[in-house]
Amino acid sequence: MLTALSIANIVLIERLDLDFEAGLGVLTGETGAGKSILLDALGLALGARADSALVRQGTDRAQVTASFAPPAAGSPLATLLADNDITQGVGEPLIIRRTLKADGGSRAFLNDQPCSAALLREVGGHLVEIHGQHDDRGLLAPAGHRALLDAYARADTAAVAAAHAAWRAAEAKLAAARAAIAEAERDREWLEHCVAELQALAPQPGEEAELAEARAAMQKGERLAGDLGAILEVFDGSDGGPALLRGAARRLDRLAGDHALLAEALAALDRAIIEADEAETKLHEAARAMEYDPERLDATETRLFELRAMARKHACQPDELADLTGTLAARLDAIEGGSAGLARLEAAVAESAAAYTRAATVLSDQRAKAAARLDAAVADELAPLKLDAARFRTLVERLPADRWGPGGIDRVEFLIATNPGAPFAPLAKIASGGELSRFILALKVALAEEGGADTIIFDEIDRGVGGAVASAIGERLARLAGAGKQLLAVTHSPQVAAKGAFHFVIAKSSEGTVTRTSVHTLDDAGRREEIARMLSGAEVTEEARAQAERLLEVAA
């Protein structure tokens, strides 16, 4: 709901600050006073094209600030703000500010955070609907008709959207499987060769490192064989070092008891024998590990080179060959077992498509029944609005299968025929300006609280009508405002003005060469005087004042 509007330097408006209430508000004033300027300023705040002609002459910048009640938590508007990182405090108003320079540059802000004009338009569409002589938004846009009918029908569209998502997911899986099988089929001969080659090679993870290490050890063994042999000769036989140490130990053992130093010498000799034995063991192990066997070295090198060559062929590391074997084998198996897998996926697609069709058909039936109720409800509103010759129809048309989507299988559009025997056509193409606004009012009253912005503005909806028709318009505006909407009506009709819960009068004044437009909120006495002016013209008579009093009493 619009709570406040501040305008500075817009055409004839020098400075203006207005507060708004809930319910029906009316804006009146003499022709040319500047009512359209007020709507242009609000349109600028809601993202309309920035026209430098709006900047008041003699100033370099114009600004409009509009304040709205905070959006409800979880509402589409709250989600839109959050998705665009616009901070909205709990319970704090949503503030829109738009500045426009005389050279044409403009800037937009949401809660003092810079934003694009496109985002401003999207936010504005959630906040305000403006229905005027040249309106092409709101109820005139067929894109929104289906959602309005669904809301009127109290239809659960989430089930259809979920069924559609499941259907499309099943189709995506089937398409991916078919593409994988087709690719594998194209590569069948190559796959068969590669899998056979890899399986024959039977690579193992870590094998390359083990082969490389063994090869290096054997190559070292070839170089060190002579030195190791000479060293081992020192340990071998009865004349070897360890044998001589043991002999000395036996002789010393017989003498050790004669002196403490001999006992210590015997202990040291025993330790030397143990170390010598360990050294001999390590030398033999090293000799075996680096044993040079030309055939074994050749076999090791052959296997190592085969692994590396295969890795180069498949552009991978040797340790990845084992996994590659499994991957290629799986692709080959998919060709053989693909038919069975495809059959299961095709069955899943058919099942999900059937589930979507059932859900969408139920929704379509709900729409058809709701359309009939809506047509009847709108028809009841047309005659009092001097549209008794017109007919309204909600078209619910089955879409071709390739256009079915999460919103269902129907196209919905509101159509009218203004004369008996005339064909039905879209609202915007048939109705004149005044008729169009009255059609929209009839629709809005029939739809009541279903969808749309909380603030609705009707610009001269009563143009070309008077008397009972104007009174009927006023009654319906008040009824719609009582259904939880805030309505602002620019009107020339005293019958409509009398229905307002609050009343603004727009006036134009001149001082020398300076012309200004001002807006004032009227109290009860001011409302009576303004409605009397609207009834009598230039000179307000007592009879007009009495009639204005009667209109206000009836409206109350």
Side-chain angles (χ1 to χ4, degrees):
M1 183 182 76
L2 178 65
T3 58
L5 182 66
S6 177
I7 303 171
N9 297 325
I10 295 287
V11 193
L12 299 179
I13 299 176
E14 187 173 39
R15 181 73 192 184
L16 181 63
D17 294 291
L18 296 175
D19 293 322
F20 296 85
E21 305 170 17
L24 174 61
V26 294
L27 294 89
T28 64
E30 295 181 356
T31 300
K35 295 185 289 294
S36 62
I37 299 174
L38 196 65
L39 296 185
D40 288 341
L42 180 58
L44 183 66
L46 298 173
R49 187 177 67 86
D51 186 354
S52 59
L54 291 173
V55 180
R56 179 177 172 82
Q57 188 174 2
T59 62
D60 60 356
R61 190 180 75 159
Q63 179 171 290
V64 182
T65 303
S67 179
F68 292 86
S75 66
L77 177 55
T79 301
L80 176 63
L81 294 173
D83 289 346
N84 287 275
D85 298 324
I86 302 299
T87 303
Q88 178 63 48
V90 177
E92 295 181 354
L94 172 61
I95 298 175
I96 298 176
R97 180 162 54 92
R98 187 91 180 270
T99 61
L100 175 62
K101 294 182 179 179
D103 62 8
S106 72
R107 297 187 68 190
F109 301 86
L110 282 167
N111 289 342
D112 283 331
Q113 295 172 251
C115 70
S116 66
L119 177 58
L120 203 61
R121 283 192 293 273
E122 193 172 357
V123 170
H126 288 276
L127 294 169
V128 179
E129 291 179 26
I130 301 178
H131 301 292
Q133 301 298 308
H134 306 290
D135 182 48
D136 60 352
R137 296 163 294 174
L139 289 176
L140 298 191
H145 292 176
R146 187 169 66 187
L148 286 170
L149 181 61
D150 288 343
Y152 183 76
R154 299 288 199 275
D156 179 13
T157 58
V160 174
H164 183 265
W167 179 21
R168 291 295 177 242
E171 286 185 327
K173 288 182 180 179
L174 176 59
R178 283 175 172 164
I181 291 173
E183 182 182 358
E185 188 65 45
R186 288 193 300 270
D187 297 335
R188 177 194 282 270
E189 185 177 345
W190 177 81
L191 281 170
E192 289 176 342
H193 170 76
C194 289
V195 170
E197 191 175 47
L198 284 164
Q199 288 178 342
L201 184 63
Q204 300 299 318
E207 184 181 6
E208 188 230 8
E210 292 175 2
L211 290 170
E213 185 178 351
R215 174 175 175 255
M218 282 188 283
Q219 288 176 334
K220 288 180 181 178
E222 182 182 8
R223 294 195 304 270
L224 301 176
D227 291 336
L228 279 174
I231 294 171
L232 285 170
E233 286 179 0
V234 175
F235 288 84
D236 291 339
S238 58
D239 295 331
L244 294 175
L245 287 174
R246 290 187 186 93
R250 286 193 298 271
R251 295 184 67 180
L252 185 57
D253 184 51
R254 294 193 296 269
L255 305 176
D258 294 335
H259 198 281
L261 290 175
L262 293 176
E264 291 178 9
L266 177 60
L269 190 56
D270 287 340
R271 291 194 298 273
I273 292 170
I274 293 171
E275 294 291 338
D277 288 342
E278 186 175 350
E280 183 179 10
T281 299
K282 297 295 184 185
L283 286 169
H284 282 292
E285 288 177 357
R288 285 193 298 272
M290 293 188 292
E291 183 179 5
Y292 171 63
D293 181 350
E295 291 184 1
R296 184 167 166 243
L297 176 60
D298 183 61
T300 300
E301 288 184 334
T302 299
R303 177 69 177 175
L304 179 62
F305 297 155
E306 286 176 349
L307 285 173
R308 290 176 174 174
M310 190 67 73
R312 286 194 299 273
K313 179 177 180 179
H314 291 282
C316 66
Q317 296 298 317
D319 281 350
E320 297 170 355
L321 289 173
D323 289 340
L324 179 64
T325 304
T327 300
L328 296 182
R331 287 177 58 187
L332 191 58
D333 290 342
I335 299 175
E336 307 300 333
S339 298
L342 284 181
R344 288 193 299 272
L345 291 173
E346 287 168 351
V349 169
E351 182 179 348
S352 59
Y356 168 78
T357 303
R358 287 193 299 271
T361 301
V362 169
L363 177 59
S364 182
D365 292 341
Q366 288 179 295
R367 286 170 174 161
K369 293 174 183 177
R373 297 197 306 272
L374 180 59
D375 292 352
V378 174
D380 290 342
E381 300 293 333
L382 295 180
L385 296 175
K386 202 176 178 180
L387 294 169
D388 46 311
R391 293 168 296 149
F392 174 85
R393 188 176 84 181
T394 304
L395 173 68
V396 180
E397 182 180 59
R398 183 66 59 90
L399 290 166
D402 61 351
R403 292 181 59 193
W404 293 359
I409 57 178
D410 307 304
R411 182 180 77 88
V412 176
E413 186 172 5
F414 299 147
L415 304 175
I416 61 169
T418 54
N419 299 303
F424 283 94
L427 285 167
K429 293 185 178 180
I430 296 295
S432 64
E435 288 177 327
L436 183 58
S437 292
R438 279 178 277 148
F439 262 115
I440 289 173
L441 177 59
L443 255 177
K444 279 290 183 185
V445 171
L447 291 168
E449 298 180 1
E450 311 305 336
D454 288 337
T455 299
I456 306 170
I457 297 175
F458 286 98
D459 184 10
E460 299 187 3
I461 190 174
D462 49 9
R463 173 174 292 199
V465 300
V469 176
S471 181
I473 290 173
E475 290 173 1
R476 280 153 180 79
L477 288 171
R479 190 195 316 169
L480 183 56
K485 301 288 186 182
Q486 179 192 55
L487 265 71
L488 301 175
V490 177
T491 180
H492 291 286
S493 167
Q495 291 90 344
V496 173
K499 298 292 183 181
F502 55 97
H503 192 149
F504 297 111
V505 64
I506 303 173
K508 184 167 63 175
S509 61
S510 297
E511 296 179 8
T513 60
V514 179
T515 302
R516 295 183 178 87
T517 289
S518 60
V519 182
H520 303 285
T521 304
L522 298 179
D523 57 15
D524 290 344
R527 290 189 67 194
R528 185 168 54 252
E529 193 70 12
E530 173 62 9
I531 292 172
R533 181 199 65 76
M534 297 170 73
L535 287 165
S536 62
E539 183 179 350
V540 179
T541 65
E542 289 302 320
E543 181 181 354
R545 291 189 176 97
Q547 188 175 354
E549 186 70 37
R550 287 193 294 273
L551 284 175
L552 288 168
E553 289 176 356
V554 171

